[in-house]
Amino acid sequence: MKKIIAVYPGTFDPVTKGHVDIIKRASNIFDRLNIAITETNINKNILFSIEERVRIIREVVDELQLSNVSVNSFSGLLIDYMHKIGATVIVRGLRAVSDFEYELQMAYMNRNLDPNIETVSMMPYIEYSFLSSSIVKEIFFNGGDVTEFVPDAVLKYLLKKREDNVAGKENFKD
Ligand code: PNS
């Protein structure tokens, strides 16, 4: 039987427990799940470099021990990347009504680009329905505690980013 390769695309800046929840759910359904991190996102201010985002998600996925999950980066159109790896399903998390319009637009546009590719929207655990990478960064860089929202590996990288920023500012003063 044909194996279904699904792609879970995103900016993942950084990956949250909401994303991890979707990764677990999707890896249960599809034969293979490829987490595809976009190198650039013209609509977003990105904190972590593409190399850092790949490294962070690989650490998180290694801990989950899900043998059918892989992590890659891509640039350009998602559909082109999917053709390259033979994937036929796009997995997207759907948290609330506020996500719906954006997700619908993307799903229709991707269907327009290739009618054979299906988008599957998955709802995360309700506790994560308010969670986003942007809100995690906002809380963290304003001194809040994000421990319950991100995997341990992410917390480690966030703390390092803050240290580097402080060190950078100190050097600038000299
Ligand atoms: O986590 P995000 O930022 O909501 O993910 C958005 C992402 C990366 C899935 C989307 O921006 C994307 O697919 N980018 C690649 C370029 C592309 O194919 N755009 C057309 C989609 S309609």
Side-chain angles (χ1 to χ4, degrees):
M1 218 170 70
K2 187 173 167 254
K3 296 236 187 274
I4 299 183
I5 304 176
V7 164
Y8 180 27
T11 310
F12 302 109
D13 184 46
V15 63
T16 67
K17 284 192 179 172
H19 293 126
V20 172
D21 184 71
I22 298 292
I23 293 168
K24 286 184 195 160
R25 288 174 200 279
S27 81
N28 265 335
I29 297 177
F30 300 106
D31 297 299
R32 277 173 53 198
L33 180 70
N34 182 257
I35 304 169
I37 312 170
T38 182
E39 286 179 17
T40 50
N41 189 328
I42 52 165
N43 300 314
K44 289 188 178 174
N45 248 337
I46 296 182
L47 174 69
F48 289 104
S49 69
I50 185 61
E51 292 79 15
E52 288 171 319
R53 282 176 285 142
V54 169
R55 201 176 319 134
I56 296 170
I57 300 201
R58 288 215 169 117
E59 268 185 45
V60 171
V61 167
D62 278 355
E63 286 225 342
L64 295 174
Q65 298 194 319
L66 300 170
S67 58
N68 62 342
V69 178
S70 56
V71 182
N72 286 102
S73 61
F74 76 100
S75 58
L77 282 180
L78 173 61
I79 289 289
D80 291 339
Y81 173 72
M82 296 193 55
H83 291 160
K84 210 165 74 185
I85 67 164
T88 52
V89 176
I90 300 169
V91 171
R92 292 286 293 170
L94 191 62
R95 292 163 298 189
V97 179
S98 49
D99 280 345
F100 187 72
E101 211 172 320
Y102 170 60
E103 293 302 328
L104 192 69
Q105 188 184 29
M106 261 200 308
Y108 277 132
M109 184 49 80
N110 283 322
R111 180 179 285 170
N112 188 271
L113 293 170
D114 183 344
N116 296 315
I117 292 207
E118 287 298 338
T119 297
V120 173
S121 297
M122 301 186 76
M123 275 59 75
Y125 184 52
I126 189 113
E127 300 241 326
Y128 302 139
S129 61
F130 60 94
L131 193 55
S132 69
S133 301
S134 316
I135 224 152
V136 163
K137 286 181 280 189
E138 164 119 19
I139 296 170
F140 180 79
F141 286 106
N142 283 295
D145 181 8
V146 293
T147 317
E148 63 178 302
F149 306 131
V150 293
D152 293 347
V154 173
L155 194 59
K156 185 178 80 186
Y157 282 93
L158 280 170
L159 288 165
K160 177 151 186 347
K161 193 58 92 179
R162 185 158 65 193
E163 260 171 39
D164 291 350
N165 283 350
V166 171
K169 281 195 188 124
E170 291 295 317
N171 289 340
F172 195 66
K173 271 192 216 158
D174 292 342

